[in-house]
Amino acid sequence: KNEVEQSPQNLTAQEGEFITINCSYSVGISALHWLQQHPGGGIVSLFMLSSGKKKHGRLIATINIQEKHSSLHITASHPRDSAVYICAVHTGTASKLTFGTGTRLQVTL
Amino acid sequence: KAGVTQTPRYLIKTRGQQVTLSCSPISGHRSVSWYQQTPGQGLQFLFEYFSETQRNKGNFPGRFSGRQFSNSRSEMNVSTLELGDSALYLCASSLIPMGNTEAFFGQGTRLTVV
């Protein structure tokens, strides 16, 4: 079993829909990152969380440390949100990130 | 402020050759981490450097090595290339060793081994 699990693996939504991507992890962490990867390959860091909730524009990320679970929400989705969203955790015992397998999001008109 | 720069963007090499990839972090960032991304294994940690010292290494064979220079620029080297080394290699920089700090990723170097 992977230390970091994401769901769903693939997601298709219509423009304007509210989207939720989930991330569960099985180890103790000191921080969780949400990353966005477009088809060109480059990765953009969206959020880094160690507790609570963060919001940036139409994106909201939450984390529940006790339940070892985080969610990424996209409100009023747009085709430009189409990308792979990756959850990654830092366990604190080593300065490396462990990644989920990613959620491929396609937003259509 | 310039972002993380990786060179080259694309590379084609033959089995058995060696390759060197470069990563220039954001100005002022002293930590650089390297990752390999393949369709089968996803993103996997290779190694991390901070102030010219390797702080951590992932589970990769000794053919994979790296170093960091005094200006924080980092290189990774893969010797005796195998077909399975074909991947997108990403580096990320941060002010301090990654974890409780935001990471900034480069565009990656796509390596194809034929």
Side-chain angles (χ1 to χ4, degrees):
Chain A
K1 189 178 189 293
N2 292 333
E3 289 181 330
V4 183
E5 298 276 356
Q6 283 185 240
S7 63
Q9 284 191 315
N10 294 284
L11 185 54
T12 301
Q14 283 198 312
E15 184 178 12
E17 285 186 7
F18 180 85
I19 288 162
T20 296
I21 299 170
N22 296 298
C23 176
S24 297
Y25 50 91
S26 57
V27 295
I29 68 167
S30 56
L32 181 143
H33 300 251
W34 280 103
L35 310 169
Q36 179 193 56
Q37 186 173 33
H38 279 284
I43 288 178
V44 174
S45 177
L46 298 175
F47 295 103
M48 186 192 71
L49 294 160
S50 53
S51 65
K53 175 180 174 178
K54 286 189 176 180
K55 184 176 188 292
H56 181 70
R58 295 180 295 106
L59 302 177
I60 303 166
T62 64
I63 188 168
N64 185 318
I65 296 293
Q66 287 73 31
E67 294 186 4
K68 293 187 166 61
H69 181 268
S70 176
S71 293
L72 176 68
H73 306 285
I74 305 175
T75 62
S77 59
H78 189 276
R80 65 174 173 267
D81 297 325
S82 299
V84 176
Y85 292 84
I86 302 167
C87 167
V89 300
H90 174 242
T91 61
T93 59
S95 52
K96 67 169 190 173
L97 288 173
T98 302
F99 299 87
T101 53
T103 294
R104 186 174 300 276
L105 171 65
Q106 180 75 34
V107 181
T108 60
L109 292 169
Chain B
K1 194 175 188 183
V4 179
T5 304
Q6 290 189 246
T7 56
R9 289 290 311 278
Y10 302 92
L11 204 48
I12 300 176
K13 288 286 189 178
T14 305
R15 267 185 305 174
Q17 287 187 312
Q18 75 162 14
V19 67
T20 299
L21 311 181
S22 178
C23 173
S24 293
I26 290 172
S27 178
H29 285 194
R30 294 164 60 196
S31 178
V32 174
S33 298
W34 289 89
Y35 300 88
Q36 181 197 63
Q37 186 177 35
T38 60
Q41 299 295 320
L43 275 158
Q44 292 184 288
F45 171 78
L46 279 158
F47 24 64
E48 179 183 37
Y49 288 88
F50 178 71
S51 294
E52 303 179 65
T53 301
Q54 187 181 87
R55 294 188 80 246
N56 204 1
K57 190 176 193 300
N59 190 24
F60 279 81
R63 300 184 296 107
F64 291 80
S65 63
R67 58 178 175 169
Q68 187 179 34
F69 302 95
S70 59
N71 62 357
S72 294
R73 188 178 72 86
S74 178
E75 289 181 346
M76 67 162 281
N77 184 277
V78 188
S79 63
T80 321
L81 284 165
E82 301 176 0
L83 295 179
D85 297 332
S86 295
L88 179 68
Y89 290 88
L90 290 153
C91 81
S93 81
S94 55
L95 275 170
I96 57 175
M98 195 176 302
N100 291 359
T101 182
E102 190 174 4
F104 296 84
F105 286 81
Q107 289 295 306
T109 294
R110 190 166 296 279
L111 171 66
T112 303
V113 182
V114 297

